Amino acid sequence: MHRGAPAMSISHPILAAQAAALVISAIALTTSASAQSTPNRLLEPTALDRTVDAAVVQAVDFLAGEQRPSGGWYLELYQGEATSTTSLALMAMLASGHVPGEEPYAANFRRGIQYLIQRQQPSGLIVDKTGHGPLYCHGISTLFLAEVIGMAEPDQADRVRDALEKSVRALLEAQVVPKQDRHVGGWRYSLNSNDSDLSVTAWQLLALRAARNAGCDVPAEAIDRAVDYVRRCVPRVGVAGFSYQPGGGSSPTMTAAGITALQVCGATDAPELPGATRLLAGRLPRHRDRYCYYSAHYTSVALHQQGGDVWNDSADDLFQELLSQQGRNGAFMARNSSEKEIGQVYATALGVLALTVDYGYLPIYQNTDPHPR
């Protein structure tokens, strides 16, 4: 899938028209070495390439139509708008080749970014509600702001930078809340949680790495502590994969998140990766799996970053499974009970992020330099 040629060879005209501005902004946020290492698309798109492109266009159009008057996107779990779904929808637009200030989604970006900025609390937390799992919302929103900072319209750029710096400080403070040794370096549901889990930690780690790429003050030690926590989530010596928390059993979903976290932070030579990658490639997400779209997003990124045969042998299967779940309206259907309650916006945004990993437009997934500092 989409292997071996310039990223500008996108087969759909809307995506191609938007690509240049986004590529320029992305390069400004990444090193030349990482940009050169980003896999690109085929000069001659395959039939599946064209199907993916068309599906992405339809899905993004669906997402744009689901934006609420507030500027946010609905999360069924919350029965209201949420900063998490808002950020995922906006990242899906970025990942598919659209940028703030450019049509057809300029207004969506503008209102969505404003919505996120207005939801930031005095603590720095970017969240609508402080119920279960606010750090999910915060981490995803921080990641989006870090990705869009180099592309924001001039009159929003300073406010995005200010919000991003406040959100980063909140994460850094939450990381050093006193915890038992096995939980040190990670995050869980709230800013004052005294334990950690890999699911929440992966989002925060991606957010901090993206913020560091964007020029925010993120100490290397904070990244290192988080990487150490991720590595402690390997069940035990000789057992492949990653677990939800240290001491637990591995799962494909957490394995995908763990691989992605280590890769993005430059730990590409970690001894845990080969066995974890083999496990993941042998157990690709299926639509009735728990958290299928969550897993598909991380699986796509993890295997694409690994590249080579592991990606070439997995991409078509993964993409076709996702495409089989797209409805006539462009939305991706959540078939499993764990994601039905979260909703179609969540499923569709993650589906787009999984399908567009080849496009190479999100800066965070371009950085594969060993031990970036």
Side-chain angles (χ1 to χ4, degrees):
M1 280 299 299
H2 315 318
R3 295 176 283 273
M8 286 302 298
S9 62
I10 292 177
S11 56
H12 194 282
I14 293 178
L15 298 183
Q18 300 298 328
L22 185 52
V23 169
I24 291 170
S25 298
I27 290 172
L29 292 177
T30 55
T31 66
S32 59
S34 65
Q36 291 168 3
S37 69
T38 303
N40 295 312
R41 307 192 73 202
L42 288 168
L43 283 171
E44 295 297 330
T46 68
L48 185 54
D49 292 340
R50 289 188 287 270
T51 301
V52 167
D53 288 348
V56 167
V57 170
Q58 191 180 13
V60 170
D61 190 56
F62 164 79
L63 289 173
E66 290 295 300
Q67 190 176 27
R68 298 301 179 97
S70 67
W73 271 264
Y74 195 75
L75 178 64
E76 291 186 18
L77 184 65
Y78 283 3
Q79 293 294 294
E81 294 87 357
T83 59
S84 55
T85 43
T86 300
S87 298
L88 287 173
L90 293 170
M91 273 200 294
M93 291 180 177
L94 287 181
S96 57
H98 301 284
V99 294
E102 299 288 342
E103 297 301 338
Y105 301 123
N108 298 96
F109 275 112
R110 188 170 189 81
R111 292 191 293 125
I113 290 170
Q114 183 65 19
Y115 172 90
L116 294 173
I117 292 171
Q118 290 176 341
R119 266 57 183 185
Q120 188 164 45
Q121 300 179 5
S123 65
L125 199 66
I126 303 175
V127 65
D128 297 88
K129 297 182 179 180
T130 55
H132 179 75
L135 272 196
Y136 274 116
C137 292
H138 180 76
I140 295 169
S141 298
T142 303
L143 174 58
F144 167 71
L145 292 180
E147 296 295 81
V148 81
I149 183 64
M151 313 169 200
E153 293 185 79
D155 64 332
Q156 284 190 321
D158 287 345
R159 285 177 288 165
V160 170
R161 170 69 64 177
D162 183 60
L164 177 60
E165 290 178 347
K166 289 177 181 176
S167 66
V168 165
R169 285 197 296 272
L171 282 182
L172 293 174
E173 292 170 1
Q175 189 187 31
V176 296
V177 169
K179 302 180 180 184
Q180 294 179 354
D181 288 347
R182 70 191 187 103
H183 292 295
V184 168
W187 294 263
R188 205 167 191 203
Y189 295 138
S190 67
L191 292 176
N192 59 1
S193 291
N194 57 12
D195 61 351
S196 305
D197 72 60
L198 179 56
S199 181
V200 174
T201 294
W203 286 113
Q204 318 314 311
L205 185 49
L206 295 182
L208 287 184
R209 190 66 193 92
R212 186 173 170 86
N213 290 349
C216 290
D217 184 13
V218 179
E221 293 76 13
I223 304 293
D224 291 340
R225 284 194 298 269
V227 167
D228 287 344
Y229 173 76
V230 172
R231 296 183 66 182
R232 285 199 297 277
C233 289
V234 172
R236 61 183 182 277
V237 175
V239 177
F242 291 83
S243 59
Y244 178 68
Q245 290 182 303
S250 68
S251 70
T253 301
M254 287 299 94
T255 295
I259 292 172
T260 299
L262 293 183
Q263 289 169 333
V264 165
C265 291
T268 54
D269 57 354
E272 298 86 357
L273 288 181
T277 301
R278 286 192 296 272
L279 183 151
L280 185 60
R283 181 62 175 86
L284 298 176
R286 293 293 180 256
H287 65 270
R288 298 210 179 268
D289 292 347
R290 283 176 56 82
Y291 302 110
C292 167
Y293 290 100
Y294 183 97
S295 181
H297 161 242
Y298 275 127
T299 297
S300 185
V301 174
L303 296 182
H304 185 264
Q305 292 270 26
Q306 289 295 102
D309 289 343
V310 71
W311 174 244
N312 294 340
D313 294 343
S314 303
D316 287 9
D317 188 347
L318 177 61
F319 287 3
Q320 287 171 341
E321 178 70 14
L322 288 169
L323 292 171
S324 73
Q325 300 307 306
Q326 188 173 33
R328 292 179 180 272
N329 65 348
F332 286 92
M333 305 297 118
R335 306 289 186 185
N336 59 82
S337 59
S338 59
E339 290 181 316
K340 279 183 180 179
E341 65 178 4
I342 305 176
Q344 286 188 348
V345 169
Y346 155 91
T348 303
L350 287 177
V352 170
L353 289 171
L355 289 172
T356 56
V357 66
D358 277 319
Y359 293 7
Y361 294 145
L362 286 181
I364 183 63
Y365 298 135
Q366 294 179 7
N367 193 341
T368 56
D369 293 340
H371 310 298
R373 292 289 182 266

